[in-house]
Amino acid sequence: IPPDLATRVQRLTLPDLIDIALLDNPRTRASYATARAAGAGIGVAVGQYLPQVTATFPLERERTATGGSGANGSSTPRTLQTSSLFAPSISAFWLLFDFGQGATVRQARQTAFAASYMHNATVQAVILEAEQAYFDYNAAKAVRDAQLATVREDSANLAAAKARHAGGVATISDVLQAQ
């Protein structure tokens, strides 16, 4: 039970119980996740019709050393040579004609609608189960209270029958019938 409801657990109303049922039921979480994933599938299907741009920026650097000591002991100055190669490229791709492949977008939309309807049906089923449990609980409490009232009334009737018998106004059969 959430902390804000724990203090008033004895006074919970039907909307409170429905909130708890919807929050704690794994079926509602799973159906919601499925509906969201199906909704994201629409974006994936539509994304194939958007322009796609790819850019690369490779940079290569090379250092080479030349010169140094010779064979007869003479030394030539050593030099470092650095060369860089920068070759950027950009490519663009845009699907203009798909020749009947547009069905994937329609299929993604229908899948999302179906998942949304299934989520709604799951939510309605959980609400119905919570309502039925709430009303069954209240009905059981009412039956228990009625049975306790019946026991109290029958005890009072037995005591009255015993008092009437003791006073000589009733017969033993009245006492036995009350018992």
Side-chain angles (χ1 to χ4, degrees), residues 112-136:
F113 289 146
S116 177
Y117 290 134
M118 289 304 296
H119 174 64
N120 289 340
T122 301
V123 167
Q124 290 173 3
V126 169
I127 290 172
L128 178 63
E129 291 168 5
E131 288 173 342
Q132 286 175 337
Y134 177 78
F135 292 126
D136 288 346

Side-chain angles (χ1 to χ4, degrees), residues 10-177:
Q10 296 300 326
R11 301 180 319 270
L12 289 178
T13 62
L14 181 59
D16 294 334
L17 294 176
I18 289 173
D19 284 343
I20 292 170
L22 289 174
L23 289 173
D24 290 343
N25 196 310
R27 289 184 300 163
T28 57
R29 279 186 252 135
S31 67
Y32 180 70
T34 302
R36 284 187 52 97
I42 295 173
V44 170
V46 169
Q48 70 182 350
Y49 296 103
L50 298 176
Q52 299 174 8
V53 178
T54 306
T56 57
F57 301 98
L59 174 63
E60 293 181 22
R61 219 168 233 191
E62 183 179 306
R63 293 181 105 183
T64 56
T66 58
S69 51
N72 58 4
S74 66
S75 72
T76 59
R78 188 170 185 168
T79 60
L80 291 174
Q81 188 175 21
T82 304
S83 63
S84 299
L85 175 62
F86 181 62
S89 68
I90 296 176
S91 64
F93 173 78
W94 193 355
L95 178 66
L96 296 177
F97 297 106
D98 67 352
F99 299 106
Q101 296 299 321
T104 57
V105 175
R106 286 191 301 276
Q107 178 186 4
R109 282 195 180 117
Q110 295 304 319
T111 302
F113 289 146
S116 177
Y117 290 134
M118 289 304 296
H119 174 64
N120 289 340
T122 301
V123 167
Q124 290 173 3
V126 169
I127 290 172
L128 178 63
E129 291 168 5
E131 288 173 342
Q132 286 175 337
Y134 177 78
F135 292 126
D136 288 346
Y137 171 74
N138 283 331
K141 264 184 23 179
V143 167
R144 183 206 60 197
D145 293 344
Q147 288 174 346
L148 289 173
T150 301
V151 167
R152 282 193 303 274
E153 289 174 9
D154 288 347
S155 297
N157 287 341
L158 178 60
K162 284 182 181 178
R164 283 194 311 265
H165 177 62
V169 184
T171 64
I172 191 69
S173 65
D174 290 336
V175 174
L176 294 174
Q177 190 174 15

